[in-house]
Amino acid sequence: MRSLNLPLAKYATLETSRLTLRPIQLSDAADMFEYASDPKVIEYVSFEQHQTLADTQKAIADHFMVAPLGRFGIIHRQTNKFIGTISLMDLTPHGAEIGYVLNRKFWGQGLAPEAAQALLELAFQHLDLKYIQAYQLTSNPQSARVLEKIGLKCIGTLPNYLPSAAGMLDTNLWMITQAEYTASTPH
């Protein structure tokens, strides 16, 4: 089985017109805490609301720094502010799940699709993955719009799929194949 570690290491930092995607550092904790403690953001993620800056530092060390390949901090280049994360999760030589979270102050500016498009390019052009999938809570139509904008198609709804503080939540499964991505990307 081929290893994706070397190409992921080569592309540990990605640039878009407005964003830098780079490995997450402990120095990002204050900016991450800003959104990880926001109850409105927490409605749509699988992690618990951070109560203290120490919670955020622990999450960075335990989740992002222990295995940094494929996990990116989203930096708004104009302000140099850490505004979220985006990751290729459950990565195999064939495919991965894309997941993201963004500071609410930056919602509605097209930044999530911009970051996600960079990860699709990485996945299909440099890692040669065959598919990308994503899970979207049915209660989060903004995330559905992000996934539509980057070309994913909703495959169906998984009832009571993701656990949350409010109980088990219905979740849509989205997917795009390498062939679909290639056909829709200008050459």
Side-chain angles (χ1 to χ4, degrees):
M1 185 184 306
R2 70 185 175 101
S3 171
L4 299 173
N5 291 339
L6 182 57
L8 282 169
K10 286 182 179 180
Y11 295 97
T13 300
L14 305 171
E15 300 279 338
T16 71
S17 63
R18 298 181 290 169
L19 304 171
T20 299
L21 308 180
R22 60 143 173 87
I24 297 147
Q25 307 160 358
L26 276 178
S27 59
D28 298 320
D31 285 342
M32 182 183 283
F33 179 72
E34 186 176 314
Y35 67 80
S37 62
D38 181 341
K40 187 67 176 166
V41 171
I42 298 305
E43 287 181 38
Y44 305 118
V45 297
S46 59
F47 60 84
E48 292 186 18
Q49 184 175 356
H50 294 190
Q51 302 299 317
T52 66
L53 186 59
D55 291 343
T56 305
Q57 291 169 331
K58 183 176 181 340
I60 289 172
D62 289 351
H63 181 72
F64 294 104
M65 293 182 81
V66 72
L69 295 179
R71 297 175 177 176
F72 300 88
I74 303 171
I75 311 305
H76 189 261
R77 289 192 4 208
Q78 185 177 14
T79 61
N80 202 35
K81 182 173 179 65
F82 178 97
I83 61 170
T85 63
I86 189 162
S87 301
L88 291 174
M89 304 175 295
D90 298 327
L91 193 59
T92 74
H94 306 291
E97 174 189 345
I98 191 170
Y100 47 85
V101 60
L102 202 62
N103 184 317
R104 185 164 42 125
K105 294 175 184 173
F106 293 86
W107 290 1
Q109 299 176 31
L111 298 172
E114 186 174 322
Q117 190 63 47
L119 254 61
L120 287 185
E121 181 179 324
L122 171 65
F124 293 130
Q125 294 180 5
H126 302 292
L127 302 179
D128 196 30
L129 299 184
K130 303 306 177 203
Y131 70 88
I132 291 291
Q133 64 185 33
Y135 295 97
Q136 168 255 327
L137 297 176
T138 58
S139 61
N140 187 356
Q142 298 94 329
S143 190
R145 284 195 295 278
V146 169
L147 297 170
E148 287 173 346
K149 284 179 183 179
I150 63 169
L152 277 74
K153 305 279 188 284
C154 186
I155 303 299
T157 301
L158 305 167
N160 297 315
Y161 186 72
L162 286 179
S164 78
M168 297 300 287
L169 301 176
D170 293 349
T171 306
N172 290 326
L173 173 61
W174 293 74
M175 186 171 273
I176 187 171
T177 66
Q178 184 184 48
E180 291 167 336
Y181 173 83
T182 302
S184 68
T185 303
H187 300 288

